[in-house]
Amino acid sequence: MESLGVVLVVEDEVPLAKVVASYLEREGFVVHLAHDGPGAVEQAAALRPDLVVLDLMLPGFDGVEVCRRLRTFTDAYVLMLTARDDETDKVVALSVGADDYIVKPFSPRELIARAKAMLRRPRAAPPSEPRAAITIGALSVDTDARTVSVDGHPVELTRTEFDILAALAERPRSAFTRGQIIESVWGGEWYGDEHVVDVHVGHLRRKLMDDAAEPRFVRTVRGVGYGMGTG
Ligand code: CA
């Protein structure tokens, strides 16, 4: 079977880690395990996984700290496991660069679906025809190079933040529902909650130094979702 990608599962509850690993392996992923914070960072640096399934509560240092450190050297997808349906946990997880989260207890099937949806997302493969960067006011979005700048200054985005921005910028006159943004970024098979879009848009705005009340780039479309442009 062709490998779907390398996954690092970081979970100190060894039986749970093994269950998750066996489901992922059955689907064709190559899986490695880590059981604490320092081990996770070390293994990620050595293995360069495509996806890290990362528990929030870990010995050594926690998943938030692991994610923060991962983001200094990898743009691997990070799917955070949170112990309870707590808004703070989710917001913290996404603010340190996780792409998505899943609340325990979860079904392994759901985790597989999320993992596949992430890894199906388009890689930065060069398109046959180079596309011009999209310019919206002071914002420039280069979808080929996957780079963003504001007033000529480069802005560092996570893959998910970039994909959301690119989806909006490619059709700057359209308003998108959260569902449409999810569809465009994660593909059709997605089970998470739509709130994840708001959190990523919040980080995107902060990095673009955009003000939600007086947006230059990403505007809230009341009763719909988001779009590009002012007001
Ligand atoms: Ca744990």
Side-chain angles (χ1 to χ4, degrees):
M1 199 192 301
E2 197 193 331
S3 165
L4 292 179
V6 175
V7 183
L8 177 62
V9 175
V10 186
E11 167 60 84
D12 57 315
E13 291 167 55
V14 175
L16 177 58
K18 286 187 172 161
V19 168
V20 168
S22 76
Y23 271 87
L24 287 165
E25 279 166 353
R26 212 175 301 162
E27 293 293 323
F29 294 98
V30 173
V31 184
H32 297 267
L33 296 178
H35 304 297
D36 59 34
V41 174
E42 207 170 287
Q43 289 232 54
L47 297 165
R48 297 287 162 160
D50 302 292
L51 168 67
V52 180
V53 176
L54 179 59
D55 188 32
L56 191 59
M57 301 302 290
L58 292 168
F61 43 79
D62 68 8
V64 166
E65 184 57 26
V66 172
C67 194
R68 195 174 281 139
R69 295 190 191 196
L70 292 184
R71 284 297 176 238
T72 66
F73 64 84
T74 177
D75 66 351
Y77 291 116
V78 174
L79 176 56
M80 197 78 98
L81 306 178
T82 70
R84 53 192 188 278
D85 201 355
D86 180 324
E87 288 305 308
T88 320
D89 280 1
K90 296 173 186 174
V91 171
V92 168
L94 298 176
S95 73
V96 293
D99 295 281
D100 197 4
Y101 54 76
I102 190 166
V103 177
K104 289 180 176 179
F106 54 85
S107 78
R109 247 176 247 287
E110 184 185 356
L111 185 130
I112 298 295
R114 298 276 195 101
K116 283 183 159 174
M118 278 185 177
L119 295 177
R120 259 202 320 265
R121 282 162 57 176
R123 293 283 178 171
S128 43
E129 293 277 309
R131 292 165 294 184
I134 301 164
T135 304
I136 295 164
L139 174 71
S140 172
V141 181
D142 186 331
T143 53
D144 287 352
R146 295 180 65 86
T147 56
V148 173
S149 65
V150 174
D151 293 318
H153 302 291
V155 179
E156 289 288 325
L157 299 180
T158 66
R159 280 199 224 180
T160 297
E161 289 158 1
F162 180 87
D163 288 342
I164 290 174
L165 181 63
L168 298 177
E170 275 169 355
R171 286 167 53 200
R173 278 181 296 277
S174 305
F176 292 82
T177 64
R178 288 168 184 79
Q180 286 170 323
I181 293 170
I182 285 168
E183 170 80 34
S184 134
V185 172
W186 281 272
E189 201 181 314
W190 198 80
Y191 296 81
D193 90 69
E194 295 190 346
H195 179 65
V196 74
V197 173
D198 301 321
V199 180
H200 285 302
V201 167
H203 298 308
L204 193 49
R205 280 175 166 156
R206 187 170 45 74
K207 291 182 178 179
L208 299 175
M209 290 185 291
D210 202 8
D211 180 354
E214 278 183 66
R216 286 198 294 164
F217 309 126
V218 180
R219 74 194 146 96
T220 301
V221 183
R222 205 171 292 282
V224 181
Y226 297 100
M228 293 304 291
T230 54

